[in-house]
Amino acid sequence: MLHGSLIQSGLENVYWGVMIVTYPYISGLVAGSFVVSSLSHVFHQKLFDDLAPLAVLVSFALLLAAPLTVLGDARQPINFWELLTRGHWPYSPIAFFILIWMAYIVLMLFELYFAFRAQNVRHWVQSQGHSRLRRFLTLGSRDASLAGEKRDKRILMILSAMGILMAFLFHGYIGFIFGSTKARPLWATPLMPVLFIVSAMVSGIALMWVVYVLVMRFSHRPVHRALADGLLRYLVLFVLLDLYMDAVDFLTSAIPAYTQGPTSQGFQRILMTGPNSGIYFGLQLGVGLGVPLIGWIIPQIRRSLAGGALMSLAVLIGVFAMRWDVVIAGQEQSKISSNLVTVQIPWTGFDSVQTVIGVFAVAFVVFMVLAWAFPWQSWNQIPAMEHREEREGQILSQSAQGTNSTITTKGGHVLS
Amino acid sequence: MARRHILRQMAIAAISFSAAETLLQSAARAKSLTVLAAARRKQWTGENAAVMQYYRTKPKWASWTVPQLNVRDGWSEPSGWMSKIENSRKVPYIHDNFNRLLPVTKLPHHWVMVIDLRRCIGCQACVVSCKSENNVPVGVYRTWVQVVETGAMEPDAQGTVVTDRGTFTPNVKRFSLPRLCNHCDAPPCVEVCPVKATFKREDGLVLIDYPKCLGCGYCINACPYDARFFNPIQQTADKCTFCVQRLDRGLLPACVTSCVGRARIFGDLNDPNSEVSRLIARYPTTHLKTTMGTKPQVFYIDLDGVVAEDGADAFNTLYPYAVGTNTEEYDDLTGKVLLQTPMGKERGTR
Ligand code: SF4
Ligand code: SF4
Ligand code: SF4
C-alpha cells in the first residue's frame, strides 16, 4: 500500500492510476481547445472570433495543470529535473514530455501576447481597469493602430498553425507512450496516437462549448447561438470521426481473427464481458458517442441550449471513460498470472479521486487568474480608432431606424 | 437570486478548498520526499544515521506498516546495501542501441542463468533467500516460483472428478516455474526510462540507479515479465539485480546458492567451459515470451510452451502465496473452485 491509498500489494498491480487517466484527458482538452482557438486564428472563421481569446486562456490554464498529473503519479517527483539534465532522448517517449511541454508553453506565451497585445495597449491608454497590469502585459508596445492589429493577426496565424502541430505532437506522443508499450497487448497498437488525437478534438470542442455558455451565463450576457451551434456542428463532425476510429480499433483489437491472441483475449475479457464492459459500452460508446449523435438527430435537443449542454457533457464523460478504458483496462490484463488484475481507486490520498479534482481545481484557479488578467471579453473590446468611427456611424444609423438596443457588429460582437 | 448567490459562493469555496488541499498535500509530500532524498544521499555515502533517524521518527512514512527497519535487518550497516549496487568493477553502461552488445564474444563476461525445471521442486527457498539477501520488502518479490497447472478437466462419464456440472477426468500437468528478471539483451524497460535511471551493464546485468529514478513506473509497465515492481520503502522501481553486490565480489547469487535441487545455475556465457555454456550446448533451452523480442538471458530447460508463450489464460496458478492478492485469480482460489473445461474456465460451486 502506498500512502495509505492506491493498492499496490499484489504481484501484479495497476501501476498507473487515475492520475494517468487524467493526464491524457487534460492534455486532450489542451489540444482540443487550442484547435478551437485556431478556427478563428488560422482558418479565419469569423463566427468563432469571440471564442478564440477564451479558448487560448482555457488551453493555457489546462496546459499549466497538465504536468501536475504526471508529477502526482510519480513516486519521486522531486527528481523531475533529471528529465532536463539526463533526459533519455529520443529513445524514451516520456522523456519527450518535458521538451514538448516547454516548447508548447513558450509558444502559448507568444500566442497570449499577440492575441491580447492591441487590446492591452488600448485598455491601458484609456485607463480601463487594471491599468498597470495592462501596461505590463504590453511589454512596452505602444502600437494601438489597426495596422498593428492586422500584423498581430498574421503572426497569430503562423503561431497558431505551429500550435496545431504542437498540439497534435503533444497529444500524439502521449498516445505513443501507450502505443509503444509492447508488454501491454491492449496498448500496443499504432492506432493509439490517432485515437487519442481524435478524442482530444472531441473533448476540447465540448469543453469550449460548456465554458462559453457558462461564461456568458455568469457574466449575464446573451449566448451567441450561431457560435454555440457552430461549435456543436464541429463536435458532431469529430464525434463521427471518433466513431470511425473506435470502429477501426474494435475491428483490429477485439475480433480474434484479425489480431494477436492476447489482444483479442484481453479486449473480450476486460472490455466486452469483464469489469470494464459497463464503462466501455455504457460510457465510452453509449454516453460519449451515442448521446451526442442521437441528440443531433433530434431537432428539439440540437436547437435547445439544454440539449447542447447535454451533448457536450456526455462527450466530456465519454472521453474520460475512453482514457480510463485505455489506461486502467490495459493494466488489468495480467502479464504472467491467470485471470485479471483487480483495481481499486481510492477516494483520498495518493493517486485518488480527490487529487484529480484538485488538479482540475488548480486549472480552474489558473483560468480565473488568466481571465482576470487578460481582456478576453467580446463586449469589452476596444476597436482601433479607425474602427470606432465606423462603429459609431453604424450605431447612429441603427438607432435612427429605432431598432432595439442589442446591436450586432460585423465581427459578430454583441453590443448592449 | 439569493439562493443562486449562495450556491455560487459554496461552489467557489469548495473549488478553492480542493485546490488548496491538493497544493498543500503536494507540498507536504514534496517535503517528506526531500527529507528522504537527503537521507538517502547520505545513505549512499555511508552515513546511515540520518536515514535511521528518519525511519525511526516516521516509520510509516509510506504507510508501509510491516517492515520496521532497524539494525538487525541490516539496513543500518555502515556501508549500506544500496551502495553495494555501485559498479565497483567499472563495467560500461548502455541505455539504448542494444545491438552494440552483438559482438558479445569480445566482452569479458556475459552473465546468464539457466533454470532446469526438471530439478525444481517448488520449495520456494530461492524466494526466501533472495528476500533476506536483498532486503526485499514484504509484499513484493524479486523472484517467485509460480506453481502452475496446464491442461484441462475433460468431460468423461467414467471420470473420477464428480461435480454438480458433470463428471470429469483430469488431463492436467502441474509444475513449478521460477521467475525473475530475465536481464534481457534488448530490454524494453531500459529503453523507455525517461531519465536513464535504469541501464544495461555490458556484462549483461540490467540494473537501476535508485537515486536517479523518478518512480514513473514506465519500466514496470514495459517489462513483459512483470519482473519489476515499486519498492514500497524506497519508492522507486526495483527488481532482481542478479545479486550484483555478491557477483562483484566473486560470489554466486543468493537464490542460486540456496537452490536445493541445483535447478538454478548461474555463469558466464562467454566462457565455453562454464556450466551454463555446457548445459545450453547439451539440452534444448527456451525463454519466456520469445515473441516479445526482448532476448531474455534466463534459459529454461524443459519449459512448457503453453506457459512460455500464452501466459495468462492458458494455465491455472495454484498456491497463490506468491501471487497477487488483488487478482480475480486469488478471489477464485480463496472462494471458489476453478475448472478448466473445453468451454473455457468455469466457476464451480463450493
Ligand atoms: S525481464 Fe523485464 S525488467 Fe528484466 S531486463 Fe527484461 S524487460 Fe527488463
Ligand atoms: S520508474 Fe524509474 S527506472 Fe523506471 S522508467 Fe521511471 S525513472 Fe526509469
Ligand atoms: S539473482 Fe539475486 S536478486 Fe535476483 S532473484 Fe536471485 S537472489 Fe534475488
Side-chain angles (χ1 to χ4, degrees), chain B residues 288-304:
Chain B
L288 293 169
K289 296 194 185 181
T290 45
T291 46
M292 283 288 165
T294 50
K295 301 187 196 158
Q297 296 304 300
V298 171
F299 296 75
Y300 288 88
I301 297 176
D302 197 24
L303 176 61
D304 190 319

Side-chain angles (χ1 to χ4, degrees), chain A residues 34-35 37-43 56 107 111 153-167:
Chain A
F34 187 88
V35 172
S37 82
S38 65
L39 283 178
S40 152
H41 290 155
V42 182
F43 303 105
V56 172
L107 188 122
E111 173 107 9
K153 286 238 164 82
R154 274 200 304 280
I155 296 176
L156 264 186
M157 186 177 143
I158 297 165
L159 277 178
S160 299
M162 277 160 57
I164 295 179
L165 279 182
M166 289 294 300

Side-chain angles (χ1 to χ4, degrees), chain B residues 113 126 129-130 134 142-143 180 240-243 253-255 264:
Chain B
M113 191 181 283
C126 48
S129 60
C130 174
N134 296 300
R142 285 186 178 194
T143 183
L180 70 165
C240 160
T241 56
F242 266 170
C243 284
C255 56
R264 292 191 185 225

Side-chain angles (χ1 to χ4, degrees), chain A residues 2 4 11-12 16 74-76 79 86 88 91-92 177 182 184 269 335 338-340 342 350 354 358, chain B residues 21-22 96 192-196 213-214 216 218 220-221 223 226 235 289 292 313 322 326 328 332:
Chain A
L2 196 84
L11 194 59
E12 286 191 70
W16 284 351
R75 266 62 171 179
Q76 299 286 352
N79 280 358
R86 43 185 294 131
H88 195 189
Y91 295 94
S92 165
I177 289 180
K182 63 183 172 187
R184 297 272 181 210
R269 290 198 51 196
K335 293 170 179 172
S338 38
N339 281 6
L340 307 179
T342 51
F350 180 80
Q354 178 234 348
Chain B
E21 159 70 20
T22 302
D96 33 63
V192 300
C193 178
V195 293
K196 298 193 250 182
C213 173
L214 289 178
C216 66
Y218 200 3
I220 302 177
N221 268 326
C223 167
D226 201 52
Q235 296 289 320
K289 296 194 185 181
M292 283 288 165
D313 283 333
N326 60 340
E328 291 187 335
D332 288 340

Side-chain angles (χ1 to χ4, degrees), chain A residues 56-127:
Chain A
V56 172
L57 295 185
V58 169
S59 185
F60 190 57
L62 288 165
L63 183 61
L64 288 180
L68 291 181
T69 52
V70 239
L71 286 181
D73 193 74
R75 266 62 171 179
Q76 299 286 352
I78 43 164
N79 280 358
F80 77 94
W81 47 268
E82 311 259 3
L83 281 170
L84 288 169
T85 54
R86 43 185 294 131
H88 195 189
W89 303 316
Y91 295 94
S92 165
I94 288 190
F96 276 107
F97 166 75
I98 197 91
L99 208 64
I100 298 180
W101 184 74
M102 285 194 314
Y104 205 170
I105 288 273
V106 170
L107 188 122
M108 284 302 272
L109 287 175
F110 276 103
E111 173 107 9
L112 275 180
Y113 177 72
F114 284 109
F116 295 104
R117 189 197 61 84
Q119 286 303 321
N120 276 328
V121 174
R122 287 174 209 150
H123 276 80
W124 170 60
V125 169
Q126 303 198 1
S127 317

